[in-house]
Amino acid sequence: MCEDGHYLDPLDIARLNKRDGGNDIFPYDKWQLTMRSDDAEPQHFHIISEGWDAIFSVESGELIRVITEGDNREVLDYMIANAHQWLECENKFYAALSNREAAKLMWLQLHD
């Protein structure tokens, strides 16, 4: 229970990519980049698309593991090839931060 008397949901999910219609590496309408409050260290995020759910390190952008596999291996290959680059890009919510910096802050907020 929170200090204000409200109960917390057992799982909070934060979406890391923004719906902006731009030429993003992981467009909002095809890819879900998420963090979950019930995930354990190390700091990581999920990239989800076409049946794939893969976990990547916030620090390095490296693949940690695959949770679920989709049918098209090219989807996973694209995730692996672009996760590090996405982390280096300017964050669409907070322009002063990179996606990596914003993801680290989101992790701290979800796991406080």
Side-chain angles (χ1 to χ4, degrees):
M1 184 178 300
C2 293
E3 292 175 11
D4 65 1
H6 291 91
Y7 287 95
L8 294 174
D9 290 332
L11 173 66
D12 290 322
I13 299 175
R15 184 85 182 249
L16 300 175
N17 57 333
K18 183 178 179 185
R19 182 184 341 207
D20 69 354
N23 293 325
D24 290 334
I25 295 169
F26 295 110
Y28 187 93
D29 61 344
K30 181 175 178 178
W31 304 90
Q32 293 181 45
L33 279 65
T34 65
M35 285 185 169
R36 301 172 184 166
S37 62
D38 65 345
D39 282 347
E41 295 278 349
Q43 290 186 359
H44 64 272
F45 62 102
H46 296 249
I47 303 179
I48 303 165
S49 185
E50 295 186 33
W52 291 92
D53 181 351
I55 295 177
F56 290 83
S57 165
V58 169
E59 192 61 42
S60 69
E62 298 295 318
L63 176 68
I64 295 174
R65 71 174 195 235
V66 173
I67 303 295
T68 57
E69 293 185 20
D71 294 330
N72 185 353
R73 172 64 194 219
E74 291 178 1
V75 173
L76 179 63
D77 292 342
Y78 184 88
M79 292 176 183
I80 293 168
N82 290 285
H84 177 77
Q85 181 182 352
W86 180 83
L87 286 166
E88 296 301 316
C89 290
E90 178 183 285
N91 184 267
K92 302 287 185 181
F93 295 103
Y94 309 104
L97 301 176
S98 69
N99 284 327
R100 174 178 286 111
E101 293 165 326
K104 286 180 178 184
L105 290 173
M106 184 61 66
W107 181 273
L108 294 174
Q109 181 180 1
L110 285 172
H111 295 88
D112 183 17

